[in-house]
Coordinates of all heavy atoms in Angstrom, one line a residue:
L121 N 24.0 7.6 -4.2 CA 23.7 8.7 -3.3 C 24.5 8.6 -1.9 O 24.3 9.5 -1.1 CB 22.2 8.8 -3.0 CG 21.2 9.0 -4.1 CD1 19.8 8.9 -3.6 CD2 21.5 10.4 -4.7
K122 N 25.3 7.7 -1.8 CA 26.0 7.4 -0.5 C 26.8 8.6 0.0 O 27.0 8.8 1.2 CB 26.9 6.2 -0.5 CG 28.0 6.2 -1.4 CD 28.7 4.8 -1.4 CE 30.0 4.9 -2.3 NZ 30.1 3.7 -3.1
S123 N 27.3 9.5 -0.9 CA 28.1 10.7 -0.4 C 27.4 12.0 -0.8 O 28.1 13.0 -0.8 CB 29.5 10.6 -1.1 OG 30.2 9.4 -0.7
I124 N 26.1 11.9 -1.2 CA 25.5 13.1 -1.8 C 25.4 14.2 -0.7 O 25.5 15.5 -1.1 CB 24.0 12.8 -2.2 CG1 23.5 14.0 -3.1 CG2 23.0 12.4 -1.0 CD1 24.1 14.0 -4.4
R125 N 25.4 13.9 0.5 CA 25.3 14.9 1.6 C 26.7 15.6 1.9 O 26.7 16.6 2.6 CB 24.7 14.4 2.9 CG 23.3 14.1 2.8 CD 22.5 15.4 2.5 NE 21.0 15.2 2.3 CZ 20.2 16.1 1.7 NH1 20.7 17.2 1.4 NH2 19.0 15.8 1.6
D126 N 27.7 15.2 1.2 CA 29.0 15.9 1.2 C 28.9 17.2 0.4 O 29.6 18.1 0.5 CB 30.1 15.1 0.7 CG 30.4 13.8 1.6 OD1 30.0 13.9 2.8 OD2 31.1 12.9 1.1
S127 N 27.9 17.3 -0.6 CA 27.9 18.4 -1.6 C 26.5 19.1 -1.7 O 26.4 20.1 -2.3 CB 28.4 17.9 -2.9 OG 27.5 16.8 -3.5
V128 N 25.5 18.4 -1.2 CA 24.1 18.9 -1.3 C 23.4 19.1 0.0 O 23.5 18.2 0.9 CB 23.4 17.9 -2.2 CG1 21.9 18.3 -2.3 CG2 23.9 17.9 -3.6
T129 N 22.8 20.2 0.2 CA 22.1 20.5 1.5 C 20.7 20.6 1.4 O 19.9 20.5 2.4 CB 22.6 21.9 2.1 OG1 22.3 22.9 1.1 CG2 24.2 21.8 2.2
I130 N 20.0 20.7 0.2 CA 18.6 21.0 0.1 C 17.9 19.6 0.3 O 18.5 18.5 0.2 CB 18.1 21.6 -1.3 CG1 18.6 20.6 -2.4 CG2 18.7 23.0 -1.5 CD1 18.1 21.1 -3.8
P131 N 16.5 19.7 0.6 CA 15.8 18.5 0.9 C 15.8 17.5 -0.4 O 15.6 18.0 -1.5 CB 14.4 18.9 1.2 CG 14.5 20.4 1.6 CD 15.7 20.9 0.9
L132 N 15.9 16.3 -0.2 CA 15.8 15.3 -1.2 C 14.7 14.3 -0.9 O 14.7 13.8 0.2 CB 17.2 14.5 -1.4 CG 18.4 15.4 -1.7 CD1 19.6 14.4 -1.7 CD2 18.2 16.1 -3.1
V133 N 13.9 14.0 -1.9 CA 12.7 13.2 -1.7 C 12.7 12.1 -2.8 O 13.0 12.4 -3.9 CB 11.3 14.0 -1.8 CG1 10.2 13.0 -1.7 CG2 11.3 15.0 -0.7
I134 N 12.5 10.8 -2.4 CA 12.4 9.8 -3.4 C 10.9 9.7 -3.6 O 10.1 9.4 -2.8 CB 12.9 8.5 -2.9 CG1 14.5 8.6 -2.9 CG2 12.5 7.3 -3.8 CD1 15.2 7.3 -2.4
M135 N 10.6 9.7 -4.9 CA 9.2 9.5 -5.4 C 9.1 8.1 -6.1 O 9.9 7.9 -7.1 CB 8.6 10.6 -6.2 CG 7.2 10.4 -6.7 SD 6.5 11.9 -7.5 CE 4.7 11.5 -7.5
G136 N 8.3 7.2 -5.6 CA 8.2 5.9 -6.3 C 7.0 5.1 -5.9 O 6.3 5.6 -5.1
Y137 N 6.9 4.0 -6.6 CA 5.6 3.2 -6.3 C 6.0 2.2 -5.3 O 7.2 1.8 -5.0 CB 5.2 2.6 -7.6 CG 4.6 3.6 -8.6 CD1 5.5 4.4 -9.5 CD2 3.3 4.0 -8.6 CE1 4.9 5.4 -10.2 CE2 2.7 5.0 -9.3 CZ 3.6 5.7 -10.1 OH 3.2 6.8 -10.9
F138 N 5.0 1.6 -4.7 CA 5.2 0.8 -3.5 C 5.9 -0.6 -3.7 O 6.5 -1.1 -2.9 CB 3.9 0.7 -2.7 CG 4.0 0.2 -1.3 CD1 5.0 0.8 -0.4 CD2 3.3 -0.9 -0.9 CE1 5.2 0.3 0.8 CE2 3.4 -1.3 0.5 CZ 4.4 -0.8 1.4
N139 N 5.5 -1.1 -4.9 CA 6.0 -2.4 -5.2 C 7.6 -2.6 -5.1 O 8.0 -3.5 -4.4 CB 5.6 -2.8 -6.6 CG 5.9 -4.4 -6.9 OD1 6.9 -4.7 -7.2 ND2 4.8 -5.2 -6.8
P140 N 8.4 -1.7 -5.7 CA 9.8 -1.8 -5.6 C 10.3 -1.7 -4.1 O 11.2 -2.4 -3.7 CB 10.4 -0.8 -6.4 CG 9.3 -0.4 -7.4 CD 8.0 -0.6 -6.6
I141 N 9.6 -0.9 -3.3 CA 9.9 -0.6 -1.8 C 9.6 -1.8 -1.1 O 10.3 -2.3 -0.3 CB 9.2 0.6 -1.3 CG1 9.6 1.8 -2.1 CG2 9.4 0.8 0.2 CD1 8.8 3.1 -1.8
L142 N 8.5 -2.5 -1.4 CA 8.0 -3.7 -0.7 C 9.1 -4.8 -1.0 O 9.5 -5.7 -0.1 CB 6.6 -4.1 -1.2 CG 5.8 -5.0 -0.3 CD1 5.7 -4.4 1.1 CD2 4.4 -5.2 -0.9
Q143 N 9.5 -4.9 -2.3 CA 10.5 -5.9 -2.6 C 11.8 -5.8 -1.9 O 12.4 -6.7 -1.5 CB 10.7 -5.9 -4.2 CG 9.5 -6.5 -5.0 CD 9.7 -6.5 -6.5 OE1 10.6 -5.8 -7.0 NE2 9.0 -7.4 -7.2
Y144 N 12.2 -4.5 -1.8 CA 13.5 -4.2 -1.1 C 13.3 -4.5 0.4 O 14.3 -4.8 1.0 CB 13.8 -2.7 -1.4 CG 15.2 -2.2 -1.0 CD1 16.1 -2.2 -2.0 CD2 15.5 -1.8 0.3 CE1 17.4 -1.7 -1.7 CE2 16.7 -1.4 0.6 CZ 17.7 -1.3 -0.4 OH 19.0 -0.8 0.0
G145 N 12.1 -4.4 0.8 CA 11.8 -4.5 2.3 C 11.6 -3.0 2.9 O 12.5 -2.2 2.7
V146 N 10.4 -2.8 3.4 CA 10.1 -1.4 3.8 C 11.1 -0.8 4.8 O 11.6 0.2 4.6 CB 8.6 -1.3 4.3 CG1 8.3 0.1 4.8 CG2 7.6 -1.7 3.2
E147 N 11.4 -1.6 5.8 CA 12.3 -1.1 6.8 C 13.7 -0.9 6.3 O 14.4 0.1 6.5 CB 12.3 -2.0 8.0 CG 13.3 -1.5 9.1 CD 12.8 -1.8 10.5 OE1 11.9 -2.5 10.8 OE2 13.5 -1.2 11.5
A148 N 14.1 -1.9 5.4 CA 15.5 -1.8 4.8 C 15.6 -0.6 3.9 O 16.6 0.1 3.9 CB 15.8 -3.1 4.1
F149 N 14.4 -0.3 3.2 CA 14.4 0.9 2.3 C 14.5 2.1 3.1 O 15.3 3.0 2.8 CB 13.2 0.8 1.5 CG 13.2 1.8 0.3 CD1 13.6 1.4 -0.9 CD2 12.6 3.1 0.5 CE1 13.6 2.3 -2.0 CE2 12.7 4.0 -0.6 CZ 13.1 3.6 -1.9
C150 N 13.7 2.2 4.2 CA 13.8 3.4 5.0 C 15.1 3.6 5.7 O 15.6 4.7 5.7 CB 12.7 3.4 6.1 SG 11.0 3.5 5.4
K151 N 15.7 2.5 6.1 CA 17.1 2.6 6.7 C 18.1 3.1 5.6 O 19.0 4.0 6.0 CB 17.5 1.2 7.2 CG 18.8 1.2 7.9 CD 19.0 -0.2 8.6 CE 20.2 -0.3 9.5 NZ 21.5 -0.3 8.7
S152 N 18.0 2.6 4.4 CA 19.0 3.0 3.3 C 18.7 4.5 3.1 O 19.7 5.3 2.8 CB 18.8 2.2 2.1 OG 19.2 0.9 2.3
C153 N 17.4 4.9 3.1 CA 17.1 6.4 2.9 C 17.8 7.3 4.0 O 18.5 8.3 3.6 CB 15.6 6.6 2.9 SG 14.7 6.1 1.5
Q154 N 17.7 6.8 5.2 CA 18.4 7.6 6.3 C 19.9 7.6 6.1 O 20.5 8.7 6.3 CB 18.0 6.9 7.6 CG 18.5 7.7 8.8 CD 18.4 6.9 10.1 OE1 18.8 5.8 10.3 NE2 17.7 7.6 11.1
E155 N 20.5 6.5 5.7 CA 21.9 6.4 5.6 C 22.5 7.4 4.6 O 23.6 7.9 4.7 CB 22.3 5.0 5.3 CG 22.2 4.0 6.5 CD 22.3 2.6 6.2 OE1 22.4 2.2 4.9 OE2 22.4 1.7 7.1
V156 N 21.7 7.6 3.5 CA 22.2 8.5 2.4 C 21.7 9.9 2.5 O 22.2 10.8 1.8 CB 21.9 8.0 1.0 CG1 22.6 6.6 0.8 CG2 20.4 7.9 0.7
G157 N 20.8 10.2 3.4 CA 20.3 11.5 3.7 C 19.0 11.9 2.9 O 18.8 13.1 2.7
I158 N 18.2 10.9 2.7 CA 16.9 11.2 2.1 C 16.0 11.8 3.2 O 16.0 11.3 4.3 CB 16.3 10.0 1.4 CG1 17.2 9.6 0.1 CG2 14.9 10.2 0.9 CD1 17.2 10.5 -1.0
D159 N 15.1 12.7 2.8 CA 14.3 13.4 3.9 C 12.9 13.0 3.8 O 12.2 13.0 4.8 CB 14.3 15.0 3.6 CG 15.7 15.5 3.6 OD1 16.3 15.4 4.7 OD2 16.3 15.9 2.6

């Protein structure tokens, strides 16, 4: 998704369960979301 905002303008939402987000690190996950343009 790193270049998705070059071609897509509509809202993008990630739907998932908390365990993978916790494993990734909640703040790190949120930061990655912001970097690729997740809303």
Side-chain angles (χ1 to χ4, degrees):
L121 296 177
K122 65 182 182 226
S123 301
I124 195 69
R125 286 303 175 191
D126 294 343
S127 59
V128 172
T129 62
I130 60 174
L132 299 176
V133 175
I134 288 179
M135 183 169 187
Y137 292 86
F138 195 50
N139 190 280
I141 297 171
L142 203 56
Q143 287 184 337
Y144 193 95
V146 176
E147 179 145 10
F149 192 91
C150 290
K151 186 171 186 287
S152 293
C153 284
Q154 183 189 55
E155 287 170 351
V156 301
I158 294 297
D159 303 293

